[in-house]
Amino acid sequence: MPLTADGPTVKQLVVLSIPAVAVGAGSALVLWLLDVGAGWLQDQLWTTLPGLVGATGSTPWWIILTMTVIGAAVGLVVWLMPGHAGNDSAVGGLEGPPPPLVALPSLLIAVVLGLAGGVSLGPENPIMAINGALTVALFARMSKAVPPNLAVLLAASGTLGALFGTPVGAALAFTGTLAAIKGGGSLWDRMFLPLASAGAGAITMHLLGAPTISFSVEPMTEVGGIDLLTGALVAGVAALAAIAIAWAFPYVHRAFHSMRNPLVFTTLGGLVLGILGAIGGPITMFKGLEETGELLADPDEYTALQLAAFAGIKLIALLVAASAGFRGGRIFPMVFIGVAIGLLGYAVIPGMPISLAVACGVLGTVLVSTRDGWIALFVAAIVVGDPLVLPVMCVVILPIWLMVTRAPALEIAAPAPAPPTTPASPTEPARS
């Protein structure tokens, strides 16, 4: 977008807001279609097919068989289809250049198989890549008014708005990035178009009837000094649990990928996930959104030992799924893990408010997953829907950030580009 010395003009913002809204709505529609397709396949895999052989979706042997087959199917897609399902989702975070269009069909198939098959990953990384690639390609054909970098930003904002059901998440995610851009105009001038896209994405998802990540939790009635201590304790335990798998991540990822062929290591990953699912049950499978609602629907139904087992199994499942070549993001499973650890804190710490316990558990895990304090605070607050937890979490996050800031990131670093080679001069023979 061309800028004047004072930043974008009002006319520019008004004109470009039209494609921004269209991108946000389109990004939400793609996400919704992805969810619908995955939901249909999930129903076939876990309700219709097991019923034909006298099993249910909770039968251990069916879980192991189905997830192993899903692993093999994803491995075949990554190995043989054009584009190889895009980049490995374990490498890098949410941001990054969109994949080539040739990779989108295989990426769509891989993520739908994973979501439907019970793999412990969310849709956020793949859907942002898909929407970014589609948006760049459409604007390249239809209009030069929106440059590729702005198209990617609008697609990412619209997708985040759709994923979280509110534009606030996108605003928090991109505030730092946009503030660092040199040029005229205020921060809100730069935020205007991404917010328009994120708002359109959130509204579109609401109109389509998609579920949100906000749940009904008994709110706090007052804040006391002890809440800072118990909140920091729960958030610290949650962060340490997430840091443990972040530390193990490169080793496990390297072990799986040392097998070279995606069909081999992704099938093995599916088998391991099936065994974990058979042990923990369906509540420890899938991306975790519906399962989080199941935990919070009747939190007193579960013992402290069960909650600890749910969190531990899901942590290992997330580590295996992210390492074994499946395509997906890590935020939604981390929310489930944080809720389980928060409910564990609520169960063992006398008098701790349940909304504070859950919010602080989510705060700790999402902080490690995203390395972004604003996103962690936002997700934790929106999960419980209790504004009174915010002032406590704003204090609790400070010591937890000191734990996280130098801890390993929950992602695999992209390989450094090879240095350019200097051709030999005509008078000097090339070195072998």
Side-chain angles (χ1 to χ4, degrees):
M1 178 174 61
L3 299 177
T4 66
D6 297 323
T9 65
V10 172
K11 181 180 179 181
Q12 287 175 322
L13 294 177
V14 170
V15 171
L16 289 176
S17 65
I18 298 172
V21 169
V23 168
S27 297
L29 182 59
V30 173
L31 173 61
W32 181 78
L33 290 172
L34 181 73
D35 284 340
V36 169
W40 178 86
L41 181 57
Q42 179 178 329
D43 187 60
Q44 306 307 307
L45 291 174
W46 301 102
T47 303
T48 303
L49 291 179
L52 298 177
V53 294
T56 71
S58 302
T59 303
W61 68 263
W62 181 263
I63 293 175
I64 295 173
L65 174 63
T66 301
M67 298 204 72
T68 303
V69 171
I70 288 295
V74 172
L76 284 171
V77 169
V78 174
W79 179 29
L80 298 176
M81 283 193 68
H84 307 289
N87 294 328
D88 184 357
S89 296
V91 178
L94 290 175
E95 299 179 5
L101 289 179
V102 69
L104 297 193
S106 57
L107 179 56
L108 274 167
I109 294 172
V111 70
V112 167
L113 287 171
L115 290 172
V119 175
S120 292
L121 293 172
E124 55 272 22
N125 292 54
I127 194 62
M128 289 185 72
I130 291 167
N131 282 336
L134 290 175
T135 304
V136 170
L138 284 173
F139 280 123
R141 287 179 175 273
M142 297 172 56
S143 172
K144 302 297 183 182
V146 180
N149 59 341
L150 179 57
V152 171
L153 178 61
L154 294 180
S157 300
T159 305
L160 285 176
L163 283 166
F164 295 134
T166 169
V168 176
L172 295 173
F174 296 116
T175 293
T177 302
L178 293 172
I181 297 175
K182 295 181 179 180
S186 68
L187 174 61
W188 272 89
D189 284 334
R190 303 172 191 179
M191 291 294 301
F192 186 90
L193 297 175
L195 274 176
S197 181
I203 292 171
T204 301
M205 289 300 281
H206 286 301
L207 292 175
L208 292 170
T212 67
I213 65 170
S214 184
F215 302 93
S216 177
V217 180
E218 183 181 352
M220 294 179 68
T221 56
E222 59 181 2
V223 176
I226 190 67
D227 294 325
L228 296 174
L229 179 61
T230 57
L233 177 61
V234 171
V237 170
L240 285 174
I243 289 170
I245 67 165
W247 175 84
F249 196 12
Y251 301 101
V252 178
H253 185 272
R254 190 179 306 124
F256 273 105
H257 286 256
S258 66
M259 302 174 198
R260 302 293 181 182
N261 192 309
L263 177 60
V264 177
F265 62 73
T266 309
T267 302
L268 177 60
L271 173 62
V272 175
L273 290 175
I275 295 171
L276 291 170
I279 296 171
I283 197 170
T284 61
M285 297 161 54
F286 303 98
K287 68 180 180 182
L289 182 59
E290 292 79 8
E291 293 70 30
T292 296
E294 187 177 338
L295 280 181
L296 293 175
D298 192 1
D300 295 322
E301 179 183 347
Y302 306 101
T303 66
L305 184 60
Q306 284 178 307
L307 292 167
F310 292 159
I313 291 170
K314 190 71 169 181
L315 278 164
I316 300 172
L318 170 57
L319 176 61
V320 171
S323 301
F326 292 97
R327 299 305 192 249
R330 300 174 283 279
I331 295 177
F332 282 94
M334 275 299 189
V335 170
F336 174 89
I337 294 164
V339 168
I341 293 174
L343 290 177
L344 175 61
Y346 167 69
V348 301
I349 300 175
M352 185 173 190
I354 185 171
S355 63
L356 178 64
V358 170
C360 288
V362 174
L363 176 71
T365 55
V366 174
L367 188 62
V368 175
S369 178
T370 62
R371 314 285 289 203
D372 189 310
W374 291 122
I375 293 295
L377 284 168
F378 162 72
V379 173
I382 200 172
V383 165
V384 299
D386 181 6
L388 201 55
V389 303
L390 266 174
V392 180
M393 287 198 300
C394 285
V395 177
V396 165
I397 196 174
L398 299 178
I400 307 305
W401 176 250
L402 297 180
M403 296 169 50
V404 172
T405 184
R406 293 295 181 264
L410 190 60
E411 61 184 51
I412 303 300
T421 56
T422 304
S425 65
T427 58
E428 181 182 340
R431 298 179 181 178
S432 58

